[in-house]
Amino acid sequence: MSAEPAAVRTAHVDTFARDRLPPPQALPEFLFELPALQLPPRLNCAAELLDRRVAAGDGDRPCVAGHDRRYTYAGLLAEANRIAHVLVDDLGLVPGNRVLLRGANSPMLAACWLAVVKAGGIVVGTMPLLRARELTTIVHKAQVTHALVDARLAGELELARADCPTLARVLSFHGGGADGLEARAAAKPATFANVDTAADDICLMAFTSGTTGVPKGTLHFHRDVMAACACWPPHVLRATRDDVFIGSPPLAFTFGLGGLLVFPLAIGASTVLLEKATPDALLPAIAQFRASVCFTAPTSYRAMASQVAAHDLSSLRKCVSAGEALPAATRRLWKDATGIEIIDGIGSTELFHIFISADEAHARPGATGLPVPGYRAAILDDEGRELPRGQVGRLAIKGPTGCKYLDDPRQASYVQGGWNLTGDAYLVDEDGQFVYQARTDDMIISGGYNIAGPEVEGALLLHPAVAECGVVGRADEARGMIVKAYVVLRPGHAADADMIRTLQDFVKATIAPYKYPREIEFRASLPRTETGKLQRFRLREGA
Ligand code: 3UK
């Protein structure tokens, strides 16, 4: 008897992704303990987020805004429905096909995301800065069949197409002309029969930001998207339907997809999707759109802190930081500048969104926070045994979402003994707060001591001359490794031997002296990913 129960019958006709899920024994354990996690067996998350909202009478409420257009909930629903028709009627999309989306954040990109999911497709998000080479890798891995692309970014995808036989259908928006997506959509009906997907049908393939190696495709079910909505947003963020969300992370990054699309829609709030959201663009946009909830990376808060005086941020009430550790100095700068206590949270592409975090009341400088309701967290040693409080080990997570790589042997390193191992070294302090140390492979071992680069960075950032910094290990004959700091100075400070000594003495006076950077090199900027993460491996190569 191998027949699946009717409840889990897939709606996918094209089972490419489903066939490449990890086998059951390689999956993490899933926990659905909260009442809000009792999700129905059939679920289309786009229908939940959009159709259900309009059916409940919220059609006239503002939903998505950008510099070029605004949609109400009913307006976005109609646009997504029309695009879904284009995908199915004109481009022959069948459930389970992979649709690559390429564009900067915008209301149109949000409509495309929802349209693909309504039609039972699988969204393959891509970062706007990716080049033909990287796009080709993704198209091959995901066997992408369709693409919707912002006309201004179409060039690199066209270059990639020569090598991408599976990618048969490409349409562009924001300038696609008479055969563009908007023109075709305008001719379609505003209603669409959503594909009746199973809760565990795949709706999203998110590629890891991948600092090294071939990117991993993480698979997410319709269920995962709704489960994420039931955990961190109501328990930690606690935004309301009158909030206006804004921020910088791309929708191709699950930090941005959750924070700037899925979470606001799940509560009937509105969201601002900006094509350009660098620190100097985000501040005026907060004022212009009267935004109240902001999502961005630690470095962006640090850069914005010195410019807030020139902007009206009176609408802003909640600020979320993720992507890398939030240094205590940055938390302080932002609070001094705006009065707002940042909500820090660690999440990952594999787990979709944030699993350890602290609201304003539980925020503790230097700590990430507490396990988010719905998730369990532990610190494990190398044998997978749970470590007592105070000891540094590997962060392990279980919850309603979990790692499912598309056909990738690295599943066995992320998932062990039912736990998701994020690759981070953490400890739990006496208050039960989870304190980030470093990525496990970034720990610096110098003269027999374990030194976490981010702790040294945290100390350097407390010095007023330091704008940004990155600390890595450099191979050293005598000590194995030495601590090396790359420092970007604030304007008006001289990058000289005096400054090196000043900063070294400052670190020695701030944290245990053996952790001080024996070498300091000044830089004009530091290498970062599109998601705001410091690329330590590039600093290490340079060292
Ligand atoms: C690091 C953090 C300390 C950590 C992400 C929120 O960053 C996200 O996903 P990625 O797959 O990277 C995951 C890794 O990034 N990290 C993220 N946040 C923090 N380290 N403090 C933090 N607050 O190494 C983690 O393993 O790019 C973040 C929501 C969704 C996401 N995808």
Side-chain angles (χ1 to χ4, degrees):
M1 252 256 344
S2 69
E4 288 178 75
V8 298
R9 186 175 28 84
T10 180
H12 285 188
V13 174
D14 173 349
T15 58
F16 170 84
R18 189 179 179 82
D19 294 341
R20 284 160 185 78
L21 276 164
Q25 67 277 11
L27 291 173
E29 191 186 329
F30 290 99
L31 308 175
F32 298 99
E33 286 155 355
L34 299 178
L37 290 172
Q38 310 312 308
L39 297 165
R42 300 209 78 78
L43 188 69
N44 183 311
C45 68
E48 289 298 307
L49 295 170
L50 214 42
D51 299 65
R52 189 195 270 275
R53 179 69 43 200
V54 172
D58 289 338
D60 291 337
R61 287 180 61 82
C63 182
V64 182
H67 282 299
D68 64 330
R69 68 186 91 178
R70 285 173 186 270
Y71 292 109
T72 59
Y73 273 87
L76 185 64
L77 174 60
E79 186 75 88
N81 285 345
R82 293 192 163 104
I83 297 170
H85 275 291
V86 173
L87 287 166
V88 175
D89 306 348
D90 295 6
L91 305 188
L93 181 94
V94 299
N97 282 169
R98 279 76 53 212
V99 184
L100 184 144
L101 298 183
R102 174 165 168 80
N105 285 358
S106 71
M108 191 60 184
L109 187 68
C112 290
W113 195 97
L114 292 158
V116 171
V117 175
K118 280 170 149 274
I122 298 174
V123 171
V124 180
T126 58
M127 298 290 184
L129 289 181
L130 294 189
R131 298 287 194 167
R133 253 182 98 79
E134 297 146 307
L135 290 168
T136 303
T137 306
I138 290 175
V139 171
H140 286 174
K141 262 211 103 164
Q143 294 282 290
V144 169
T145 53
H146 299 72
L148 301 177
V149 54
D150 187 308
R152 294 161 295 174
L153 295 176
E156 290 290 327
L157 190 63
E158 276 311 310
L159 286 176
R161 271 184 93 176
D163 266 335
C164 294
T166 60
L167 180 50
R169 311 304 304 264
V170 179
L171 276 188
S172 47
F173 54 91
H174 288 165
D179 195 42
L181 182 57
E182 289 97 331
R184 283 176 179 249
K188 301 293 181 190
T191 55
F192 178 79
N194 298 316
V195 171
D196 178 29
T197 41
D200 63 358
D201 274 333
I202 297 155
C203 65
L204 173 68
M205 205 181 276
F207 281 86
T208 54
S209 36
T211 43
T212 47
V214 188
K216 292 165 274 194
T218 68
L219 302 174
H220 298 278
F221 299 148
H222 289 265
R223 170 188 102 191
D224 296 319
V225 174
M226 298 321 293
C229 292
C231 295
W232 180 79
H235 294 102
V236 182
L237 181 65
R238 292 196 306 272
T240 73
R241 63 205 314 263
D242 293 321
D243 274 311
V244 179
F245 289 53
I246 200 167
S248 65
L251 295 184
F253 181 27
T254 60
F255 178 40
L257 179 64
L260 299 178
L261 183 62
V262 168
F263 297 164
L265 266 56
I267 57 169
S270 76
T271 184
V272 182
L273 292 171
L274 303 168
E275 296 195 348
K276 184 171 179 285
T278 50
D280 51 314
L282 190 48
L283 282 169
I286 292 170
Q288 182 194 339
F289 292 93
R290 305 280 313 149
S292 56
V293 179
C294 178
F295 288 76
T296 190
T299 45
S300 166
Y301 284 114
R302 196 170 169 86
M304 288 194 296
S306 55
Q307 303 171 40
V308 297
H311 303 274
D312 173 12
L313 302 188
S314 57
S315 57
L316 195 60
R317 63 183 203 99
K318 286 178 183 282
C319 293
V320 179
S321 169
E324 59 181 357
L326 176 68
T330 302
R331 176 185 283 291
R332 172 114 304 263
L333 273 180
W334 188 250
K335 187 162 188 191
D336 287 347
T338 64
I340 298 174
E341 191 73 77
I342 292 176
I343 300 173
D344 187 9
I346 177 174
S348 73
T349 307
E350 288 82 355
L351 285 133
F352 189 76
H353 220 268
I354 293 174
F355 42 79
I356 293 176
S357 183
D359 63 14
E360 297 87 339
H362 294 86
R364 262 245 344 258
T368 312
L370 308 165
V372 168
Y375 288 88
R376 246 183 260 163
I379 307 299
L380 306 182
D381 70 10
D382 288 340
E383 276 70 56
R385 288 177 301 235
E386 214 164 307
L387 285 168
R389 282 192 178 182
Q391 289 194 29
V392 177
R394 302 186 296 166
L395 180 65
I397 305 290
K398 275 180 199 175
T401 59
C403 178
K404 307 182 278 293
Y405 288 137
L406 169 81
D407 188 21
D408 202 308
R410 291 170 286 186
Q411 179 78 12
S413 25
Y414 205 94
V415 176
Q416 289 175 22
W419 292 98
N420 294 278
L421 297 174
T422 65
D424 298 293
Y426 261 84
L427 65 77
V428 182
D429 72 9
E430 57 282 359
D431 304 323
Q433 288 264 352
F434 283 71
V435 183
Y436 178 75
Q437 309 294 307
R439 296 283 307 167
T440 41
D441 41 15
D442 283 341
M443 289 294 286
I444 305 164
I445 303 159
S446 181
Y449 287 110
N450 268 324
I451 300 168
E455 189 190 1
V456 185
E457 290 162 15
L460 281 165
L461 289 172
L462 291 168
H463 193 280
V466 177
E468 275 186 83
C469 64
V471 171
V472 297
R474 176 173 80 63
D476 177 79
E477 202 130 327
R479 301 176 173 272
M481 272 194 233
I482 61 158
V483 177
K484 167 150 192 183
Y486 292 86
V487 172
V488 180
L489 291 174
R490 287 193 191 282
H493 295 276
D496 56 18
D498 275 353
M499 181 57 81
I500 291 178
R501 222 165 311 113
T502 303
L503 293 177
Q504 287 174 327
D505 291 343
F506 182 79
V507 171
K508 284 186 196 169
T510 309
I511 54 178
Y514 69 86
K515 298 173 181 170
Y516 87 97
R518 283 170 195 271
E519 238 176 73
I520 294 183
E521 189 175 319
F522 296 107
R523 288 280 175 96
S525 66
L526 297 178
R528 290 195 179 273
T529 65
E530 231 182 311
T531 59
K533 284 188 218 298
L534 180 64
Q535 293 175 304
R536 285 171 209 284
F537 74 100
R538 286 181 58 191
L539 290 180
R540 270 196 296 266
E541 281 164 11

mmCIF file with all atom_site columns, all heavy atoms in Angstrom, residues 117-133:
data_model
loop_
_atom_site.group_PDB
_atom_site.id
_atom_site.type_symbol
_atom_site.label_atom_id
_atom_site.label_alt_id
_atom_site.label_comp_id
_atom_site.label_asym_id
_atom_site.label_entity_id
_atom_site.label_seq_id
_atom_site.pdbx_PDB_ins_code
_atom_site.Cartn_x
_atom_site.Cartn_y
_atom_site.Cartn_z
_atom_site.occupancy
_atom_site.B_iso_or_equiv
_atom_site.pdbx_formal_charge
_atom_site.auth_seq_id
_atom_site.auth_comp_id
_atom_site.auth_asym_id
_atom_site.auth_atom_id
_atom_site.pdbx_PDB_model_num
ATOM 1   N N   . VAL A 1 117 ? 2.820  32.001 -7.294  1.00 0.00 ? 117 VAL A N   1
ATOM 2   C CA  . VAL A 1 117 ? 2.400  31.099 -6.226  1.00 0.00 ? 117 VAL A CA  1
ATOM 3   C C   . VAL A 1 117 ? 0.920  30.725 -6.375  1.00 0.00 ? 117 VAL A C   1
ATOM 4   O O   . VAL A 1 117 ? 0.524  29.587 -6.146  1.00 0.00 ? 117 VAL A O   1
ATOM 5   C CB  . VAL A 1 117 ? 2.720  31.719 -4.851  1.00 0.00 ? 117 VAL A CB  1
ATOM 6   C CG1 . VAL A 1 117 ? 2.183  30.862 -3.716  1.00 0.00 ? 117 VAL A CG1 1
ATOM 7   C CG2 . VAL A 1 117 ? 4.235  31.902 -4.702  1.00 0.00 ? 117 VAL A CG2 1
ATOM 8   N N   . LYS A 1 118 ? 0.100  31.693 -6.777  1.00 0.00 ? 118 LYS A N   1
ATOM 9   C CA  . LYS A 1 118 ? -1.321 31.404 -7.018  1.00 0.00 ? 118 LYS A CA  1
ATOM 10  C C   . LYS A 1 118 ? -1.474 30.331 -8.096  1.00 0.00 ? 118 LYS A C   1
ATOM 11  O O   . LYS A 1 118 ? -2.352 29.474 -8.027  1.00 0.00 ? 118 LYS A O   1
ATOM 12  C CB  . LYS A 1 118 ? -2.038 32.674 -7.490  1.00 0.00 ? 118 LYS A CB  1
ATOM 13  C CG  . LYS A 1 118 ? -2.404 33.615 -6.369  1.00 0.00 ? 118 LYS A CG  1
ATOM 14  C CD  . LYS A 1 118 ? -2.865 34.937 -6.960  1.00 0.00 ? 118 LYS A CD  1
ATOM 15  C CE  . LYS A 1 118 ? -3.888 35.586 -6.060  1.00 0.00 ? 118 LYS A CE  1
ATOM 16  N NZ  . LYS A 1 118 ? -5.249 35.138 -6.296  1.00 0.00 ? 118 LYS A NZ  1
ATOM 17  N N   . ALA A 1 119 ? -0.610 30.401 -9.111  1.00 0.00 ? 119 ALA A N   1
ATOM 18  C CA  . ALA A 1 119 ? -0.701 29.467 -10.229 1.00 0.00 ? 119 ALA A CA  1
ATOM 19  C C   . ALA A 1 119 ? -0.031 28.126 -9.926  1.00 0.00 ? 119 ALA A C   1
ATOM 20  O O   . ALA A 1 119 ? 0.110  27.279 -10.807 1.00 0.00 ? 119 ALA A O   1
ATOM 21  C CB  . ALA A 1 119 ? -0.074 30.105 -11.472 1.00 0.00 ? 119 ALA A CB  1
ATOM 22  N N   . GLY A 1 120 ? 0.431  27.953 -8.681  1.00 0.00 ? 120 GLY A N   1
ATOM 23  C CA  . GLY A 1 120 ? 1.036  26.681 -8.305  1.00 0.00 ? 120 GLY A CA  1
ATOM 24  C C   . GLY A 1 120 ? 2.486  26.553 -8.748  1.00 0.00 ? 120 GLY A C   1
ATOM 25  O O   . GLY A 1 120 ? 3.074  25.474 -8.671  1.00 0.00 ? 120 GLY A O   1
ATOM 26  N N   . GLY A 1 121 ? 3.066  27.654 -9.211  1.00 0.00 ? 121 GLY A N   1
ATOM 27  C CA  . GLY A 1 121 ? 4.469  27.633 -9.623  1.00 0.00 ? 121 GLY A CA  1
ATOM 28  C C   . GLY A 1 121 ? 5.400  27.718 -8.424  1.00 0.00 ? 121 GLY A C   1
ATOM 29  O O   . GLY A 1 121 ? 4.954  27.884 -7.287  1.00 0.00 ? 121 GLY A O   1
ATOM 30  N N   . ILE A 1 122 ? 6.680  27.594 -8.699  1.00 0.00 ? 122 ILE A N   1
ATOM 31  C CA  . ILE A 1 122 ? 7.695  27.717 -7.652  1.00 0.00 ? 122 ILE A CA  1
ATOM 32  C C   . ILE A 1 122 ? 8.534  28.950 -7.974  1.00 0.00 ? 122 ILE A C   1
ATOM 33  O O   . ILE A 1 122 ? 9.155  29.035 -9.042  1.00 0.00 ? 122 ILE A O   1
ATOM 34  C CB  . ILE A 1 122 ? 8.604  26.465 -7.603  1.00 0.00 ? 122 ILE A CB  1
ATOM 35  C CG1 . ILE A 1 122 ? 7.763  25.225 -7.271  1.00 0.00 ? 122 ILE A CG1 1
ATOM 36  C CG2 . ILE A 1 122 ? 9.730  26.666 -6.592  1.00 0.00 ? 122 ILE A CG2 1
ATOM 37  C CD1 . ILE A 1 122 ? 8.546  23.914 -7.333  1.00 0.00 ? 122 ILE A CD1 1
ATOM 38  N N   . VAL A 1 123 ? 8.524  29.921 -7.056  1.00 0.00 ? 123 VAL A N   1
ATOM 39  C CA  . VAL A 1 123 ? 9.312  31.132 -7.269  1.00 0.00 ? 123 VAL A CA  1
ATOM 40  C C   . VAL A 1 123 ? 10.787 30.825 -7.056  1.00 0.00 ? 123 VAL A C   1
ATOM 41  O O   . VAL A 1 123 ? 11.168 30.210 -6.056  1.00 0.00 ? 123 VAL A O   1
ATOM 42  C CB  . VAL A 1 123 ? 8.884  32.243 -6.284  1.00 0.00 ? 123 VAL A CB  1
ATOM 43  C CG1 . VAL A 1 123 ? 9.862  33.418 -6.352  1.00 0.00 ? 123 VAL A CG1 1
ATOM 44  C CG2 . VAL A 1 123 ? 7.460  32.704 -6.562  1.00 0.00 ? 123 VAL A CG2 1
ATOM 45  N N   . VAL A 1 124 ? 11.606 31.267 -7.998  1.00 0.00 ? 124 VAL A N   1
ATOM 46  C CA  . VAL A 1 124 ? 13.055 31.226 -7.814  1.00 0.00 ? 124 VAL A CA  1
ATOM 47  C C   . VAL A 1 124 ? 13.507 32.679 -7.784  1.00 0.00 ? 124 VAL A C   1
ATOM 48  O O   . VAL A 1 124 ? 13.579 33.346 -8.824  1.00 0.00 ? 124 VAL A O   1
ATOM 49  C CB  . VAL A 1 124 ? 13.750 30.463 -8.963  1.00 0.00 ? 124 VAL A CB  1
ATOM 50  C CG1 . VAL A 1 124 ? 15.261 30.443 -8.753  1.00 0.00 ? 124 VAL A CG1 1
ATOM 51  C CG2 . VAL A 1 124 ? 13.205 29.048 -9.071  1.00 0.00 ? 124 VAL A CG2 1
ATOM 52  N N   . GLY A 1 125 ? 13.740 33.181 -6.594  1.00 0.00 ? 125 GLY A N   1
ATOM 53  C CA  . GLY A 1 125 ? 14.146 34.583 -6.444  1.00 0.00 ? 125 GLY A CA  1
ATOM 54  C C   . GLY A 1 125 ? 15.620 34.731 -6.761  1.00 0.00 ? 125 GLY A C   1
ATOM 55  O O   . GLY A 1 125 ? 16.409 33.838 -6.466  1.00 0.00 ? 125 GLY A O   1
ATOM 56  N N   . THR A 1 126 ? 15.980 35.856 -7.382  1.00 0.00 ? 126 THR A N   1
ATOM 57  C CA  . THR A 1 126 ? 17.410 36.094 -7.660  1.00 0.00 ? 126 THR A CA  1
ATOM 58  C C   . THR A 1 126 ? 17.768 37.520 -7.274  1.00 0.00 ? 126 THR A C   1
ATOM 59  O O   . THR A 1 126 ? 16.981 38.437 -7.461  1.00 0.00 ? 126 THR A O   1
ATOM 60  C CB  . THR A 1 126 ? 17.752 35.873 -9.149  1.00 0.00 ? 126 THR A CB  1
ATOM 61  O OG1 . THR A 1 126 ? 16.933 36.743 -9.950  1.00 0.00 ? 126 THR A OG1 1
ATOM 62  C CG2 . THR A 1 126 ? 17.529 34.438 -9.566  1.00 0.00 ? 126 THR A CG2 1
ATOM 63  N N   . MET A 1 127 ? 18.962 37.686 -6.759  1.00 0.00 ? 127 MET A N   1
ATOM 64  C CA  . MET A 1 127 ? 19.437 39.009 -6.344  1.00 0.00 ? 127 MET A CA  1
ATOM 65  C C   . MET A 1 127 ? 19.703 39.872 -7.580  1.00 0.00 ? 127 MET A C   1
ATOM 66  O O   . MET A 1 127 ? 20.315 39.399 -8.544  1.00 0.00 ? 127 MET A O   1
ATOM 67  C CB  . MET A 1 127 ? 20.744 38.877 -5.560  1.00 0.00 ? 127 MET A CB  1
ATOM 68  C CG  . MET A 1 127 ? 20.605 38.073 -4.294  1.00 0.00 ? 127 MET A CG  1
ATOM 69  S SD  . MET A 1 127 ? 19.633 38.972 -3.082  1.00 0.00 ? 127 MET A SD  1
ATOM 70  C CE  . MET A 1 127 ? 19.786 37.835 -1.719  1.00 0.00 ? 127 MET A CE  1
ATOM 71  N N   . PRO A 1 128 ? 19.288 41.126 -7.533  1.00 0.00 ? 128 PRO A N   1
ATOM 72  C CA  . PRO A 1 128 ? 19.432 42.000 -8.700  1.00 0.00 ? 128 PRO A CA  1
ATOM 73  C C   . PRO A 1 128 ? 20.864 42.105 -9.255  1.00 0.00 ? 128 PRO A C   1
ATOM 74  O O   . PRO A 1 128 ? 21.043 42.248 -10.451 1.00 0.00 ? 128 PRO A O   1
ATOM 75  C CB  . PRO A 1 128 ? 18.961 43.360 -8.173  1.00 0.00 ? 128 PRO A CB  1
ATOM 76  C CG  . PRO A 1 128 ? 18.005 43.022 -7.077  1.00 0.00 ? 128 PRO A CG  1
ATOM 77  C CD  . PRO A 1 128 ? 18.515 41.766 -6.450  1.00 0.00 ? 128 PRO A CD  1
ATOM 78  N N   . LEU A 1 129 ? 21.858 42.010 -8.393  1.00 0.00 ? 129 LEU A N   1
ATOM 79  C CA  . LEU A 1 129 ? 23.231 42.213 -8.880  1.00 0.00 ? 129 LEU A CA  1
ATOM 80  C C   . LEU A 1 129 ? 23.833 40.985 -9.560  1.00 0.00 ? 129 LEU A C   1
ATOM 81  O O   . LEU A 1 129 ? 24.938 41.059 -10.104 1.00 0.00 ? 129 LEU A O   1
ATOM 82  C CB  . LEU A 1 129 ? 24.152 42.635 -7.727  1.00 0.00 ? 129 LEU A CB  1
ATOM 83  C CG  . LEU A 1 129 ? 23.943 44.044 -7.162  1.00 0.00 ? 129 LEU A CG  1
ATOM 84  C CD1 . LEU A 1 129 ? 24.950 44.331 -6.043  1.00 0.00 ? 129 LEU A CD1 1
ATOM 85  C CD2 . LEU A 1 129 ? 24.083 45.106 -8.255  1.00 0.00 ? 129 LEU A CD2 1
ATOM 86  N N   . LEU A 1 130 ? 23.136 39.851 -9.557  1.00 0.00 ? 130 LEU A N   1
ATOM 87  C CA  . LEU A 1 130 ? 23.721 38.640 -10.148 1.00 0.00 ? 130 LEU A CA  1
ATOM 88  C C   . LEU A 1 130 ? 24.010 38.832 -11.633 1.00 0.00 ? 130 LEU A C   1
ATOM 89  O O   . LEU A 1 130 ? 23.269 39.494 -12.352 1.00 0.00 ? 130 LEU A O   1
ATOM 90  C CB  . LEU A 1 130 ? 22.799 37.428 -9.969  1.00 0.00 ? 130 LEU A CB  1
ATOM 91  C CG  . LEU A 1 130 ? 22.548 36.925 -8.546  1.00 0.00 ? 130 LEU A CG  1
ATOM 92  C CD1 . LEU A 1 130 ? 21.806 35.589 -8.591  1.00 0.00 ? 130 LEU A CD1 1
ATOM 93  C CD2 . LEU A 1 130 ? 23.838 36.767 -7.758  1.00 0.00 ? 130 LEU A CD2 1
ATOM 94  N N   . ARG A 1 131 ? 25.101 38.223 -12.064 1.00 0.00 ? 131 ARG A N   1
ATOM 95  C CA  . ARG A 1 131 ? 25.524 38.279 -13.472 1.00 0.00 ? 131 ARG A CA  1
ATOM 96  C C   . ARG A 1 131 ? 25.109 36.995 -14.190 1.00 0.00 ? 131 ARG A C   1
ATOM 97  O O   . ARG A 1 131 ? 24.710 36.015 -13.558 1.00 0.00 ? 131 ARG A O   1
ATOM 98  C CB  . ARG A 1 131 ? 27.048 38.417 -13.543 1.00 0.00 ? 131 ARG A CB  1
ATOM 99  C CG  . ARG A 1 131 ? 27.566 39.667 -12.900 1.00 0.00 ? 131 ARG A CG  1
ATOM 100 C CD  . ARG A 1 131 ? 27.248 40.827 -13.771 1.00 0.00 ? 131 ARG A CD  1
ATOM 101 N NE  . ARG A 1 131 ? 27.995 42.007 -13.383 1.00 0.00 ? 131 ARG A NE  1
ATOM 102 C CZ  . ARG A 1 131 ? 28.068 43.073 -14.153 1.00 0.00 ? 131 ARG A CZ  1
ATOM 103 N NH1 . ARG A 1 131 ? 27.478 43.074 -15.333 1.00 0.00 ? 131 ARG A NH1 1
ATOM 104 N NH2 . ARG A 1 131 ? 28.726 44.137 -13.757 1.00 0.00 ? 131 ARG A NH2 1
ATOM 105 N N   . ALA A 1 132 ? 25.296 37.015 -15.503 1.00 0.00 ? 132 ALA A N   1
ATOM 106 C CA  . ALA A 1 132 ? 24.884 35.883 -16.343 1.00 0.00 ? 132 ALA A CA  1
ATOM 107 C C   . ALA A 1 132 ? 25.411 34.544 -15.824 1.00 0.00 ? 132 ALA A C   1
ATOM 108 O O   . ALA A 1 132 ? 24.693 33.543 -15.786 1.00 0.00 ? 132 ALA A O   1
ATOM 109 C CB  . ALA A 1 132 ? 25.348 36.113 -17.779 1.00 0.00 ? 132 ALA A CB  1
ATOM 110 N N   . ARG A 1 133 ? 26.668 34.532 -15.419 1.00 0.00 ? 133 ARG A N   1
ATOM 111 C CA  . ARG A 1 133 ? 27.286 33.303 -14.904 1.00 0.00 ? 133 ARG A CA  1
ATOM 112 C C   . ARG A 1 133 ? 26.517 32.712 -13.744 1.00 0.00 ? 133 ARG A C   1
ATOM 113 O O   . ARG A 1 133 ? 26.223 31.523 -13.695 1.00 0.00 ? 133 ARG A O   1
ATOM 114 C CB  . ARG A 1 133 ? 28.668 33.666 -14.327 1.00 0.00 ? 133 ARG A CB  1
ATOM 115 C CG  . ARG A 1 133 ? 29.846 33.256 -15.077 1.00 0.00 ? 133 ARG A CG  1
ATOM 116 C CD  . ARG A 1 133 ? 31.063 33.702 -14.263 1.00 0.00 ? 133 ARG A CD  1
ATOM 117 N NE  . ARG A 1 133 ? 31.573 32.580 -13.492 1.00 0.00 ? 133 ARG A NE  1
ATOM 118 C CZ  . ARG A 1 133 ? 32.318 31.630 -14.023 1.00 0.00 ? 133 ARG A CZ  1
ATOM 119 N NH1 . ARG A 1 133 ? 32.628 31.676 -15.298 1.00 0.00 ? 133 ARG A NH1 1
ATOM 120 N NH2 . ARG A 1 133 ? 32.757 30.637 -13.288 1.00 0.00 ? 133 ARG A NH2 1
#
